[in-house]
Amino acid sequence: MKNNQVIVIGAGPAGLTAAYHLVKNGIKPIVLEQSDKVGGISRTEKYKGYHFDIGGHRFFTKVQEVQDLWYEVLENDFIKTPRMSRIYYQGKFFQYPLSAFDTLQKLGISESFMIIWSYLQAKRQPLPVEDNLEQWVTNRFGERLYKTFFKTYTEKVWGIPCNQIQAEWAAQRIKGLSVKTAVLNALIGKNDTKTLIKEFDYPRLGPGMMWERFTEKIEEAGGEVHMNTKVLGIEREGERINRVIAERDGNLIKFEAENFISSMPLNKLVQKMDPALPSHVVEAANGLKYRDFLIVSLIVDAPDLFPDNWIYIHSPEVKVGRIQNFKNWSAQMVPDSSKTCLGMEYFSNIGDSLWSKTDEELIALAKQELETLGLAKGAIVEDGVVIRQPKAYPVYDRDYRQHLDVIQDYVQKFENLQTTGRNGMHRYNNQDHSMLTALLAAKNLLGEKHDLWNVNTERSYHEDFTKEEWKQLASSEDDKDLTFVVSNKK
């Protein structure tokens, strides 16, 4: 392997992690990225000296190897950021994580009693089937709390009813949270759940700083990261990839290698295969769906608007789903201390009415909704910029698992291709999970044997483990323990 190149498609957290591990082991990969920035959805955008995150990315993990990698690459440019987020519902702000006293006061005794009663009913007589998100959440929180704090926001994010979202999504994203856990946290201050952490690491100039540093280290070690390079085709012979055809500056370029790691969306990977894959695989790829995302970043003439890192907007009267306050992630992201930079996040689909609005219309909408919510009373919005992110979130609809199984079964037949990352595996995960799959993919090229598709399936790879437990399992000589942590390692 040391004399052969590896092609890595995509310079997001997954692609760069794989490339970095390879250069540390003497292999010089070539990374192909179609955009002008590294980091994918975890990049940092910049506008007139302001830095802003695309979606908000905490650096928190219970996988020690990933955390060690973060500190190895970013070194002293991490800061500790206290977490504060709230839910906006019915004109009121609710603490999140839930506080028993805060929730009781704002919902009122009657509504709180009904929520508790509904929760007890769900425990006594749970729904017999948990196929979709509505059923899954109702069984764990009760129907009334589901309708109060889950339904509206979730449907705003995904654009489809909760009963059309697979329960697998809920199990993956909110597995560690329960009413019992929330009450214990509120009463005794205990907090050992990923969803409820109170402090996290954050690069002082945003998450893109991490991926820019990864890129520097890869290139310093002899690897290559090609920006503005769009993959047009992937040539194969049977079940072996031979080369990638890409375009840069109007020129076609051929990249040949012995092995390939891809983090590009699975549907695009299938569609770019030459010769084409069997029709049933192509049909399955065409059936995968994604939710797109846009953020309107507003520069506000006010030093302090609210203390939250971000606020979840459950209110149906506005379209905005979440609001980031970048100054509260890191003060260094806002160059003028007398100003505030807010990220108004909208979940959309390419081509719908929201996505089709002009930047000027979106900025006007964001300013109007900020005023409607009462978050910037008396403050002046001085400027704004719009960033659009296609394919931000893989959708877990009713048919996705059937489609994914078809693609997974076929792609795994390729002897020199591995897929990693959020879109590369059509899995709505966090950046540390994307990094873990990529790290294992790189290790596979170095002689180890990991099944990437089993990461985070048997048992939550970090939400159910403390760091101490993970260390004990990772050092165990019993391979059966390891299958719960990272892979089916043989």
Side-chain angles (χ1 to χ4, degrees):
M1 279 296 302
K2 290 189 177 180
N3 296 320
N4 298 324
Q5 290 181 327
V6 177
I7 300 298
V8 178
I9 301 175
L16 292 175
T17 298
Y20 179 67
H21 189 74
L22 290 172
V23 296
K24 286 175 63 178
N25 286 274
I27 299 171
K28 300 177 181 180
I30 295 176
V31 183
L32 308 180
E33 171 57 46
Q34 70 173 348
S35 74
D36 61 350
K37 294 182 181 66
V38 296
I41 195 174
S42 297
R43 70 188 182 277
T44 297
E45 291 283 350
K46 302 168 188 176
Y47 177 71
K48 296 184 178 180
Y50 290 82
H51 293 63
F52 47 94
D53 193 352
I54 306 299
H57 289 84
R58 293 175 292 155
F59 284 74
F60 173 80
T61 184
K62 289 184 178 179
V63 180
Q64 191 66 45
E65 191 169 10
V66 171
Q67 181 165 299
D68 291 343
L69 193 57
W70 286 339
Y71 277 91
E72 175 184 321
V73 172
L74 200 60
E75 298 176 332
N76 297 322
D77 281 317
F78 262 136
I79 61 173
K80 289 290 184 183
T81 298
R83 170 182 174 146
M84 181 178 178
S85 57
R86 288 181 292 174
I87 295 171
Y88 184 87
Y89 175 73
Q90 291 187 342
K92 299 175 182 178
F93 291 93
F94 293 81
Q95 293 180 12
Y96 186 80
L98 297 175
S99 162
F101 299 106
D102 177 74
T103 303
L104 176 64
Q105 179 185 19
K106 291 171 182 173
L107 286 179
I109 295 176
S110 176
E111 179 63 20
S112 297
F113 174 81
M114 295 301 294
I115 285 175
I116 294 172
W117 178 257
S118 175
Y119 168 72
L120 294 175
Q121 286 288 95
K123 292 303 175 185
R124 281 195 294 266
Q125 293 182 311
L127 298 172
V129 177
E130 287 187 359
D131 289 336
N132 59 55
L133 183 144
E134 181 176 296
Q135 295 164 336
W136 192 96
V137 174
T138 298
N139 273 353
R140 284 156 183 79
F141 298 90
E143 182 179 7
R144 202 167 187 96
L145 192 62
Y146 155 71
K147 290 182 176 178
T148 301
F149 287 117
F150 288 90
K151 187 177 189 297
T152 300
Y153 179 76
T154 303
E155 292 182 353
K156 186 183 290 190
V157 170
W158 294 106
I160 57 177
C162 287
N163 60 16
Q164 294 181 22
I165 301 172
Q166 290 297 289
E168 185 179 347
W169 179 86
Q172 190 169 309
R173 298 299 296 183
I174 56 178
K175 183 174 182 177
L177 181 63
S178 70
V179 170
K180 179 180 177 182
T181 301
V183 171
L184 286 174
N185 275 287
L187 295 179
I188 65 176
K190 177 178 170 57
N191 196 339
D192 193 33
T193 303
K194 177 197 171 212
T195 310
L196 303 176
I197 64 165
K198 294 179 179 177
E199 186 180 65
F200 53 87
D201 290 320
Y202 194 72
R204 59 182 180 83
L205 291 176
M209 192 177 191
M210 174 72 76
W211 315 119
E212 291 163 8
R213 194 71 56 81
F214 261 92
T215 301
E216 292 171 5
K217 290 182 176 293
I218 290 167
E219 293 179 333
E220 287 171 359
E224 301 175 25
V225 180
H226 295 264
M227 308 303 297
N228 299 303
T229 304
K230 183 179 182 179
V231 173
L232 300 180
I234 300 172
E235 296 183 354
R236 67 185 182 93
E237 289 184 11
E239 296 168 355
R240 183 173 182 82
I241 307 298
N242 289 331
R243 65 188 61 85
V244 169
I245 310 300
E247 179 186 18
R248 183 172 65 239
D249 297 329
N251 300 312
L252 293 182
I253 312 170
K254 292 183 180 181
F255 295 92
E256 297 185 354
E258 290 295 317
N259 286 277
F260 298 80
I261 296 175
S262 172
S263 63
M264 71 189 305
L266 267 182
N267 65 343
K268 295 298 183 184
L269 177 70
V270 171
Q271 292 164 2
K272 294 181 185 298
M273 288 286 183
D274 181 21
L277 299 186
S279 59
H280 72 284
V281 181
V282 175
E283 289 172 7
N286 293 339
L288 293 180
K289 297 176 182 175
Y290 301 82
R291 187 68 162 159
D292 308 304
F293 169 92
L294 57 88
I295 182 170
V296 183
S297 286
L298 301 177
I299 299 172
V300 185
D301 184 19
D304 299 293
L305 292 176
F306 51 85
D308 308 74
N309 310 110
W310 68 94
I311 298 174
Y312 299 104
I313 309 299
H314 288 218
S315 302
E317 65 267 20
V318 293
K319 295 182 183 297
V320 65
R322 191 171 56 182
I323 302 177
Q324 306 281 347
N325 188 336
F326 298 113
K327 198 174 190 178
N328 294 339
W329 288 79
S330 171
Q332 296 181 56
M333 295 175 71
V334 178
D336 186 341
S337 61
S338 69
K339 313 290 184 184
T340 296
C341 184
L342 300 180
M344 307 284 284
E345 299 182 354
Y346 294 88
F347 307 96
S348 180
N349 288 325
I350 292 177
D352 67 15
S353 59
L354 189 61
W355 187 272
S356 300
K357 289 181 181 294
T358 65
D359 288 0
E360 291 75 17
E361 290 172 331
L362 287 168
I363 291 170
L365 173 65
K367 291 166 66 174
Q368 175 191 333
E369 295 196 338
L370 186 62
E371 183 177 344
T372 298
L373 294 169
L375 291 174
K377 293 180 180 179
I380 299 174
V381 176
E382 295 184 338
D383 201 354
V385 63
V386 177
I387 302 296
R388 302 167 193 264
Q389 177 62 50
K391 289 184 168 57
Y393 308 113
V395 174
Y396 284 31
D397 60 13
R398 287 174 176 171
D399 301 321
Y400 108 95
R401 173 48 65 184
Q402 176 183 345
H403 296 321
L404 185 57
D405 286 345
V406 170
I407 300 168
Q408 177 184 337
D409 289 344
Y410 198 91
V411 168
Q412 284 183 300
K413 295 178 182 179
F414 282 93
E415 59 188 66
N416 64 340
L417 171 66
Q418 297 179 89
T419 61
T420 65
R422 172 179 284 191
N423 283 338
M425 304 181 81
H426 201 82
R427 181 173 291 168
Y428 185 22
N429 54 30
N430 291 321
Q431 60 184 347
D432 56 339
H433 174 263
S434 293
M435 292 178 68
L436 181 58
T437 58
L439 186 62
L440 296 177
K443 290 184 176 183
N444 284 343
L445 297 184
L446 297 169
E448 298 185 18
K449 294 183 179 179
H450 300 278
D451 184 346
L452 306 185
W453 291 93
N454 275 332
V455 176
N456 198 25
T457 56
E458 291 295 328
R459 185 175 176 187
S460 174
Y461 77 104
H462 60 187
E463 293 176 10
D464 288 346
F465 289 100
T466 64
K467 290 178 184 177
E468 290 73 21
E469 289 170 335
W470 193 91
K471 286 179 183 177
Q472 290 173 6
L473 290 176
S475 62
S476 171
E477 294 181 358
D478 184 354
D479 282 348
K480 286 187 281 188
D481 284 339
L482 288 174
T483 64
F484 289 109
V485 185
V486 293
S487 69
N488 283 341
K489 181 178 179 181
K490 303 301 182 184

